[in-house]
Amino acid sequence: GQQLNQSPQSMFIQEGEDVSMNCTSSSIFNTWLWYKQDPGEGPVLLIALYKAGELTSNGRLTAQFGITRKDSFLNISASIPSDVGIYFCAGQSQGGSEKLVFGKGTKLTVNP
Amino acid sequence: EPEVTQTPSHQVTQMGQEVILRCVPISNHLYFYWYRQILGQKVEFLVSFYNNEISEKSEIFDDQFSVERPDGSNFTLKIRSTKLEDSAMYFCASSGTGVEQYFGPGTRLTVT
C-alpha cells in the first residue's frame, strides 16, 4: 500500500530555534495535510495544501506542497514550549479517494 | 468552534465482546471517517462514510466491523467480537468537503 516516509523521527531543540520536517512518497498525492497530536489527544489539523508548489503559512508554521507532488515539508519558526508534540503528515492520493495516508510522525521536544 | 466529540473516552472489554464506539461529527459535515492508532504507531484509515453508505474501507475493516449513522447526529463504529489486537485508539473524523478532516479526541479501546 501507499506509504509516507516522514523524517526526522524525533527532534530535540532549544526554545527559539526553527524546525523543519518533511514527508516523501513514491506515489503522487493530490492533497497534503499536516497535523499535530498531543499525548492522549486526536490529531489537530494545522495546514492543508492543495496544489503542487503551494506554500502556505499558519502563524509560525509554513508548509509547502512539492512540485513533484510526492513530497511536502513543514517549518516551525521561533519554537516555543507548547510546540511539543508529534507532527504527522498525511496525503490524499489521486482517484477521488478521501482516505488520509499518514506518515509515522516526527516527535518534537522543545527545551525551554 | 465546532468539534468532533467521541464517547466513551476509554472502553475496557473482554475478548469476544461487542463494543460500540460513538461519535458526534461536526454538524454540517457530510463525510465521516474512522481511523485507529495502535500505541506509538501511525494513524491508520479504517472506513469512510458518505450519503448513508460506506464509500471506502481498508483491509483492517473486516466483517467484524460495521458503521452506522443511526440518526442525524451520531456516527458509530461497532466491533462484533473483539480481539486482543483491536486494542488501540479509535478516532472519528468528519469533513465538509472530503479533504480537510477534523478529528475527535479518540476512544481508547483496551481488550483483555
Side-chain angles (χ1 to χ4, degrees), chain A residues 35 37 50 92 97-98 100, chain B residues 33 35 37 56 98 100-101:
Chain A
Y35 287 85
Q37 186 179 31
Y50 300 95
Q92 275 185 333
S97 171
E98 301 153 23
L100 294 181
Chain B
Y33 312 86
Y35 291 82
Q37 185 179 35
E56 187 175 4
E100 297 181 11
Q101 297 181 18

Side-chain angles (χ1 to χ4, degrees), chain B residues 12-57:
Chain B
V12 181
T13 189
Q14 288 192 325
M15 198 167 52
Q17 295 296 304
E18 175 183 287
V19 294
I20 298 177
L21 310 183
R22 303 179 191 279
C23 168
V24 178
I26 294 172
S27 64
N28 60 345
H29 283 184
L30 301 175
Y31 299 82
F32 312 113
Y33 312 86
W34 284 100
Y35 291 82
R36 79 170 187 191
Q37 185 179 35
I38 294 171
L39 186 64
Q41 298 188 23
K42 66 179 181 180
V43 178
E44 299 175 291
F45 170 77
L46 292 177
V47 65
S48 57
F49 192 87
Y50 172 73
N51 201 24
N52 283 322
E53 61 183 20
I54 290 174
S55 45
E56 187 175 4
K57 59 184 180 180

Side-chain angles (χ1 to χ4, degrees), chain B residues 76-89:
Chain B
T76 63
L77 174 70
K78 182 194 289 187
I79 309 175
R80 285 190 190 81
S81 178
T82 51
K83 303 189 280 283
L84 293 176
E85 54 264 38
D86 292 328
S87 295
M89 281 289 284

Side-chain angles (χ1 to χ4, degrees), chain A residues 56-102:
Chain A
T56 297
S57 293
N58 178 7
R60 294 178 295 105
L61 277 59
T62 302
Q64 184 157 32
F65 192 147
I67 290 289
T68 64
R69 296 165 67 190
K70 293 182 179 182
D71 62 319
S72 176
F73 72 74
L74 175 71
N75 285 346
I76 305 172
S77 63
S79 58
I80 59 178
S82 61
D83 290 333
V84 165
I86 302 177
Y87 291 80
F88 290 97
C89 61
Q92 275 185 333
S93 63
Q94 295 178 301
S97 171
E98 301 153 23
K99 72 176 183 185
L100 294 181
V101 177
F102 278 79

